[in-house]
Structure formats: structure tokens, C-alpha cells
Amino acid sequence: MKRIGYFLSCEEYSPTEIVEQARLAGEAGFDALWISDHFHPWTNEQGESAFVWSAIGAISQVCDLPVTTAVTCPTVRIHPAIIAQAAATSAALLGPGRFTLGVGSGEALNEHILGGVWPHADLRLEMLEEAIGLIRRLWTGEVVSHEGVHYTVDTARIYSLPEELPQIYVSAFGPKALDLACRVGDGFISVMPDAEGVSTFRQAKGAHAPTQAGFKVGWGADKEQAIDDAYRLWPNAGVPGELSQVLPSPQHFEQAAELVTRDKIAGSATFGDSVQEHVDAFTPFVEAGFDDVYVANMGPRYAEMIEAYGKEVLPELRSRHVRA
């Protein structure tokens, strides 16, 4: 790895908690931040859905860590021209080289809310490619008019541009999305230890093309309680396949998650306070070749987790896995 990051889950924590976690992560010695972009939480038990762009603005005032959106869907819920403006402002607030626009094709959970038909996967990728191209054009600071297949822009210009334009990283699950990332992305994002995806991306973009990945853990001295908290808050993590892209509401995820067992959740992540187990949880992502790996906490003990990582987990990880 090059960097060890902390993953802010806007669907689980309140806006003030998100900002607090960012500050604590900086103080503890994390290198960077991921932040999710949701309109709805996955389940009602998670109970939050902070607007990511407001959160990033607040974060810029409490710590100096780089931030990546993981990930924003710039196609349906928010027009790509508005995403271009929001990302430019975020980059200006955070400072040169400290903001990355992570994008993906999205989920119906967040994107269906304006009443349109949720597009099929191939069409979503087509829309994403056009959106990325439009965002890059708007970042030139020139007046842009665009009549594309999916988007129209009429004499639009972004005036508040950062000193250094953000890079755009593309989240990819499956060969078609990975092909898109290879063609138009500056970096590759995943939440799986996808060694094949890393290899394919670097074959297309160069040996040092940047890659990021993230995963979740549940911290706590009482391991069983940590599992209980994750099962209560994140049973959707056990929902398989394309369901996560097509189910439209937290209620639907709750219905699907009734088929997910506690044992499945217990076996899907690291729980408890064993420093060695938390260090080992990074190994699959390191072995897959990811540059930056981000870790999120599930449950209420985020302050304990961040403090423990700062004192024990991060030093061990750096001695074992971090390259200069």
C-alpha cells in the first residue's frame, strides 16, 4: 500500500458524526478519507443520509486529509453539470491534490427518487461515460454547450475552479464497467480484493495507475456485540448479486436481508479488538495490488476504533505493508 484511509459512511452516521470521524482520523494518523454518497441508507436501522457535498465542505475545515467520493453517481439523481461544479468547489476547499472524484453507475436505492425509470446496466454505463466527458469539459472553465444522447447543457461555465483539477476514479464491478474504467478513468475503485481488476486496469493505463479499495470492520472489546451491531445495521452486506443495484428502497433491502443470517455477517468481516486480526484484514487488498486501502467501522464504537488504529493497527500495518 501507499496510503491507509478511513471510510466515512454517510448512510450510518449523522453529519456531525461524519465530520467528527474525519477529524479523529486525521489526528490518529490515517492518510486519507473515503466518503459515501447516498440519498437513502441501505436500511432504516442505519438511519442517515447526509448530503455528501455539504459534508466535504465541513470536513475541509477540520482536517487536511485527502478525500475521495466512494462513489458518486453523476447520471440520474444529479445532473453531471452540477456534479462538476460540486466537485470543483470541493477541490478548491480541500486544496491542491486533496480531492478525487470517485464515480460509479449507481444504485436504484439512491437514484430512482425523481421518478424516472431505472436504466439497465449497459445504459447506466453509457450514461456514466457521457457524464464523465461532460464533467471534464466543464472543468476547462470554458463555456460549454452540449447536446448528447443523455444530457444537454446550454452555455454553461464553471467559474470557481480549483488550483489543481481533480482526478476521476471509476468504480467497476464486472468486465463492462472495468472496460469503461480502463478507457476513461484516471484510477480504479473497488470494494473487493480484485487482483484481476487491478492487473487489467494497469495493463491499460500503466504500471503505476492508481487504485483504491475499501472494506468494513466492527470494532469492540465484546466481539459478539460487535457482530450483533453489524447484523442489525448492515444485513444488506449479505444481499447477493445485482440486487444491490436494483432494489429501490430501504424497505426492500430489509425484506431481502431477512434471508441473511447472523453467521453470514459474522463470517464476512473482522470483528472484535484483536490488533492482529485487523492488520490481517488488509492483506487480501495488499496482495491484490491496491495502492490505497480504506477501512470503515460498523456500529457505534468508531471513536474507540479510530484511536486503537492510531495507536496499534496503523503502526503495524505500516511496518508490514506500506511502501514509500
Side-chain angles (χ1 to χ4, degrees), residues 26-48:
E27 293 171 355
F30 282 92
D31 300 314
L33 298 169
W34 259 15
I35 187 166
S36 60
D37 180 3
H38 274 249
F39 189 88
H40 290 139
W42 298 101
T43 67
N44 287 309
E45 187 68 29
Q46 290 174 358
E48 295 288 346

Side-chain angles (χ1 to χ4, degrees), residues 124-280:
R124 298 201 303 271
L125 291 173
E126 182 181 297
M127 295 171 72
L128 179 60
E129 183 166 7
E130 184 178 337
I132 291 170
L134 181 54
I135 289 167
R136 292 192 191 279
R137 285 184 63 194
L138 286 162
W139 281 350
T140 65
E142 298 175 356
V143 176
V144 173
S145 293
H146 173 85
E147 293 186 9
V149 176
H150 304 289
Y151 303 106
T152 299
V153 169
D154 182 18
T155 57
R157 178 184 172 189
I158 294 177
Y159 282 81
S160 296
L161 289 167
E163 182 179 329
E164 180 179 322
L165 290 174
Q167 290 193 314
I168 299 177
Y169 289 12
V170 179
S171 172
F173 303 97
K176 292 180 180 179
L178 182 58
D179 178 68
L180 175 64
C182 290
R183 285 189 287 106
V184 303
D186 300 310
F188 165 58
I189 287 178
S190 181
V191 292
M192 301 293 291
D194 182 3
E196 184 177 351
V198 170
S199 176
T200 300
F201 185 74
R202 288 187 173 142
Q203 287 174 15
K205 307 294 283 192
H208 301 291
T211 57
Q212 296 184 351
F215 67 101
K216 291 181 170 62
V217 300
W219 183 269
D222 186 334
K223 183 174 182 177
E224 296 305 311
Q225 182 61 57
I227 295 170
D228 286 342
D229 288 334
Y231 185 49
R232 173 175 57 86
L233 290 161
W234 288 91
N236 60 285
V239 173
E242 266 192 280
L243 286 177
S244 291
Q245 280 72 55
V246 300
L247 294 179
S249 73
Q251 291 83 357
H252 288 95
F253 275 94
E254 289 170 352
Q255 292 165 15
E258 290 179 5
L259 302 174
V260 178
T261 66
R262 183 183 184 278
D263 286 346
K264 183 175 179 64
I265 296 299
S268 68
T270 295
F271 297 97
D273 61 359
S274 166
V275 171
Q276 193 58 54
E277 289 182 12
H278 281 264
V279 170
D280 289 345

Side-chain angles (χ1 to χ4, degrees), residues 7-62:
F7 184 2
L8 303 164
S9 298
C10 285
E11 62 271 47
E12 181 180 351
Y13 301 106
S14 72
T16 53
E17 288 174 322
I18 289 292
V19 175
E20 180 190 20
Q21 288 179 34
R23 177 181 60 79
L24 292 173
E27 293 171 355
F30 282 92
D31 300 314
L33 298 169
W34 259 15
I35 187 166
S36 60
D37 180 3
H38 274 249
F39 189 88
H40 290 139
W42 298 101
T43 67
N44 287 309
E45 187 68 29
Q46 290 174 358
E48 295 288 346
S49 59
F51 187 54
V52 68
W53 303 107
S54 298
I56 291 171
I59 288 167
S60 74
Q61 304 303 299
V62 300

Side-chain angles (χ1 to χ4, degrees), residues 293-307:
V293 183
Y294 296 78
V295 59
N297 184 67
M298 296 180 284
R301 288 168 294 280
Y302 62 82
E304 296 173 28
M305 179 266 199
I306 293 171
E307 181 180 9

